[in-house]
Amino acid sequence: YRELTGAAVRNLGSLEASSKESLAKLNPQAASLLSLQWIEDLEDVDKMKAVAKSSGEDPRIRTALTAKLTDALGSAYPPPLPPPAREPRNAEPQDGGDNPGTRSSAVF
């Protein structure tokens, strides 16, 4: 699916016949050629998520999928982002950092 041409994408037909793994592998350019009717006909939430992941930032597809996924999943969509990783406030530098007189163990 990653290498599909525009003509091949336009001839896919119903997305329900494709696996979620195949839909997730569409490149953004190919996904932008998907018919909005095919997206509207999707019932499988996992397939909707797969198309959402592969479609990039195409506004018409993002809008259609966001509406469908919000209807299907309610407040669970979009999924919450994980909190950013934080370093401890008093973390010691790994390589001696700015402490004069210390040597780095890095080998170049």
Side-chain angles (χ1 to χ4, degrees):
Y1 271 56
R2 189 167 298 285
E3 303 298 326
L4 287 178
T5 65
V9 171
R10 286 188 289 273
N11 288 315
L12 280 177
S14 172
L15 298 179
E16 287 293 341
S18 299
S19 71
K20 65 181 179 188
E21 292 81 14
S22 295
L23 293 172
K25 290 180 183 176
L26 282 170
N27 66 53
Q29 292 82 9
S32 71
L33 299 173
L34 293 173
S35 161
L36 286 179
Q37 186 60 52
W38 298 341
I39 291 170
E40 289 298 323
D41 292 343
L42 271 176
E43 298 293 328
D44 185 313
V45 170
D46 289 332
K47 289 182 182 183
M48 286 185 242
K49 288 179 184 179
V51 173
K53 287 179 182 178
S54 67
S55 65
E57 298 178 6
D58 186 304
R60 64 187 187 92
I61 291 178
R62 301 300 301 170
T63 300
L65 286 168
T66 298
K68 284 188 67 76
L69 285 164
T70 301
D71 286 346
L73 300 174
S75 63
Y77 187 81
L81 295 174
R86 290 190 157 165
E87 291 188 28
R89 290 181 184 227
N90 297 327
E92 292 292 323
Q94 295 278 339
D95 63 348
D98 295 326
N99 297 335
T102 60
R103 294 180 184 225
S104 172
S105 60
V107 178
F108 295 100

